[in-house]
Amino acid sequence: MGTKKEEGSMSRLLVRNFSVSLDGYAAGPLQDLDHPLGIGGMQLHEWIFATRSGRQMIGEEGGSEGLDDDFFSERASGVGATIMGRNMFGPIRGPWGESDWTGWWGEEPPFHHPVFVLTHEPRAPIEMLGGTTFYFVNGGTEAALSAAFEAAGDRDVLVGGGAATIKQYLRASLIDEMHMAIVPVLLGSGERLFDDLGPSTGSYRCVEHVCSLDLIHVRIARAGRGVDGGLQG
Amino acid sequence: MGTKKEEGSMSRLLVRNFSVSLDGYAAGPLQDLDHPLGIGGMQLHEWIFATRSGRQMIGEEGGSEGLDDDFFSERASGVGATIMGRNMFGPIRGPWGESDWTGWWGEEPPFHHPVFVLTHEPRAPIEMLGGTTFYFVNGGTEAALSAAFEAAGDRDVLVGGGAATIKQYLRASLIDEMHMAIVPVLLGSGERLFDDLGPSTGSYRCVEHVCSLDLIHVRIARAGRGVDGGLQG
């Protein structure tokens, strides 16, 4: 399992600002190159670009303050590394070959720390502007966890997504705390977050639920962990 | 289809106070005689008995006021009939035989109006104390809808549950408005509310989301219907 316990670190494995629909989908149906989030899936992320911190992230001014912005602006606070699934990194399947794909985020991705991409296919690290380096881990979720905690030092590690990756860590009860933004729309079908989690859901309890005008924010935490008070604490 | 459109009635088909878990389950796993709501499913309904109106319903004093009570106390407002699935009425399967089962609710059920129970097995109506009569409809969901609207007159019809029954009416886009109480617990598995609904979910939009201390209240309404303001309107 992950190295953090063995090393006695207080670093946590976190999910933040993970958007799901009211009917529980993290992406809409029919995901493909033109619809990486599936049909209707972009609706789940519009709230980010309505906030001040979301607009800042893409170099725009304005945007809302308040609860949604409070959550999103804290996305990288105390975080030293991110883990993501290959589908979140890009649409390419199979061997990387001569691909020059460096993610969806342009030359200066908004992570500013090491990012560990789960893949079955080896690839050399890619150093981007602004402190983000993409490392490609083909040893599975536990190898990625170990590498990310080592890179993060005393800081926390974020699981960025997508749903399939988060589910793997939830199923193993390795995520310490997860914040979800429930967007009040119905997608009808697609990729669920809470599905096939087995007994691991018994490890978690809801520690916060709070509504903004546009969203329902929910935090769940692993039982037995120290829980910080959160924004509403 | 239902008779209401043909008759020009303004009666609506409603769902109120339908409890689901944070992970989308309306009942826990392993439903049986001893656990009619499945393992952990009772947690979904505890909020009702914490409210003043919920306690009144069972002849108890005290209980909370506020948002949860506001919703629950309005459960029968303007309602002239209820439809429910057979599993909500009782645990008996197959022919009724000599059964003297008259529901979970004792001699004076809390409906006080005609209740139409979906069943494949014919049975004579049962008149209870307090104005509730159980009618057993073996002609399917549309026959129950017609009978309930006829009985309700100008008033609305409630679909009481369970999830399977609500899903049938949602799938046909026949429900005009549905209020859910999302309870911030994880059940892990069980019977989902939003599942296999197909394109009908496109007929609905979320018109309200509001948090109380214990719950998240959400209302969805069929697009194109006049929407009342609700408690937060």
Side-chain angles (χ1 to χ4, degrees):
Chain A
M1 303 304 283
T3 57
K4 57 180 174 165
K5 297 299 174 201
E6 290 137 43
E7 292 174 357
S9 161
M10 289 302 287
S11 296
R12 299 171 302 168
L13 189 61
L14 305 175
V15 175
R16 286 180 175 162
N17 301 296
F18 193 72
S19 298
V20 296
S21 67
L22 184 58
D23 46 353
Y25 298 105
L30 305 173
Q31 294 181 63
D32 63 19
L33 271 171
D34 293 331
H35 304 90
L37 301 168
I39 304 296
M42 263 310 292
Q43 294 174 82
L44 301 182
H45 303 280
E46 284 167 3
W47 69 273
I48 290 174
F49 305 104
T51 65
R52 174 178 293 266
S53 51
R55 296 184 65 78
Q56 266 175 356
M57 182 180 72
I58 56 171
E60 303 275 343
E61 297 193 344
S64 66
E65 299 186 2
L67 194 60
D68 301 345
D69 186 56
D70 291 344
F71 272 105
F72 193 71
S73 64
E74 287 294 306
R75 67 195 177 282
S77 171
V79 172
T82 289
I83 297 170
M84 66 173 64
R86 178 162 177 174
N87 296 359
M88 184 170 166
F89 178 71
I92 302 154
R93 302 292 174 268
W96 297 101
E98 299 299 309
S99 171
D100 57 0
W101 180 268
T102 58
W104 303 99
W105 303 274
E107 292 184 342
E108 187 172 340
F111 304 101
H112 312 293
H113 56 226
V115 174
F116 296 86
V117 180
L118 290 160
T119 171
H120 295 292
E121 309 288 342
R123 188 180 184 185
I126 306 172
E127 194 174 340
M128 307 295 292
L129 296 178
T132 299
T133 299
F134 292 112
Y135 295 93
F136 300 88
V137 183
N138 64 350
T141 51
E142 291 181 18
L145 195 68
S146 296
F149 271 111
E150 191 174 332
D154 288 340
R155 286 172 296 168
D156 295 323
V157 172
L158 215 57
V159 182
T165 300
I166 293 175
K167 275 192 281 195
Q168 288 186 71
Y169 288 109
L170 277 177
R171 204 175 287 132
S173 298
L174 287 169
I175 289 175
D176 292 297
E177 192 179 305
M178 175 164 73
H179 159 236
M180 291 175 288
I182 302 176
V183 182
V185 299
L186 297 170
L187 292 185
S189 60
E191 186 176 8
R192 287 193 191 279
L193 175 62
F194 287 116
D195 206 21
D196 298 323
L197 291 177
S200 66
T201 47
S203 310
Y204 292 93
R205 64 185 190 285
C206 184
V207 294
E208 183 176 18
H209 64 280
V210 55
C211 290
S212 68
L213 195 61
D214 294 325
L215 299 175
I216 303 158
H217 294 278
V218 172
R219 288 191 306 127
I220 68 172
R222 207 168 57 189
R225 289 285 295 186
V227 174
D228 67 38
L231 291 166
Q232 299 300 299
Chain B
M1 303 302 282
T3 57
K4 55 182 175 162
K5 296 302 175 200
E6 290 137 45
E7 292 173 356
S9 162
M10 290 300 287
S11 296
R12 300 171 303 166
L13 189 62
L14 305 176
V15 175
R16 285 179 175 161
N17 300 296
F18 193 72
S19 298
V20 296
S21 67
L22 184 58
D23 45 354
Y25 297 104
L30 304 174
Q31 293 180 62
D32 62 19
L33 272 170
D34 293 330
H35 304 90
L37 301 168
I39 304 297
M42 263 311 293
Q43 294 175 83
L44 302 181
H45 303 281
E46 283 166 2
W47 70 271
I48 291 173
F49 305 103
T51 65
R52 174 177 293 265
S53 51
R55 295 185 67 79
Q56 264 175 356
M57 183 179 73
I58 55 171
E60 303 275 343
E61 297 193 343
S64 66
E65 299 186 2
L67 194 60
D68 301 346
D69 185 57
D70 291 346
F71 272 104
F72 193 72
S73 64
E74 286 294 306
R75 67 196 177 282
S77 172
V79 172
T82 290
I83 297 170
M84 66 173 63
R86 178 164 177 173
N87 296 359
M88 184 170 166
F89 178 70
I92 302 154
R93 305 290 174 268
W96 296 101
E98 300 300 307
S99 171
D100 57 359
W101 180 267
T102 57
W104 302 101
W105 303 276
E107 293 185 340
E108 186 172 342
F111 304 102
H112 312 294
H113 56 227
V115 174
F116 296 86
V117 180
L118 290 160
T119 171
H120 295 293
E121 309 291 341
R123 187 180 184 185
I126 306 173
E127 194 174 340
M128 308 294 291
L129 296 178
T132 298
T133 300
F134 292 113
Y135 295 93
F136 299 88
V137 183
N138 64 349
T141 52
E142 292 180 18
L145 195 67
S146 296
F149 271 111
E150 191 175 329
D154 289 340
R155 286 173 294 169
D156 295 325
V157 172
L158 215 56
V159 181
T165 301
I166 293 174
K167 276 193 277 196
Q168 287 187 71
Y169 288 108
L170 277 177
R171 203 176 286 133
S173 297
L174 287 169
I175 289 174
D176 292 299
E177 192 178 304
M178 175 164 74
H179 160 235
M180 291 174 289
I182 302 176
V183 181
V185 298
L186 298 171
L187 292 186
S189 61
E191 186 177 8
R192 287 194 191 278
L193 176 62
F194 287 116
D195 205 23
D196 298 324
L197 291 176
S200 66
T201 47
S203 310
Y204 291 92
R205 65 185 190 287
C206 184
V207 295
E208 183 176 16
H209 65 279
V210 55
C211 290
S212 68
L213 194 62
D214 294 324
L215 300 174
I216 304 158
H217 294 277
V218 172
R219 288 191 308 127
I220 68 171
R222 207 167 59 190
R225 290 284 298 187
V227 174
D228 68 39
L231 290 167
Q232 299 299 300

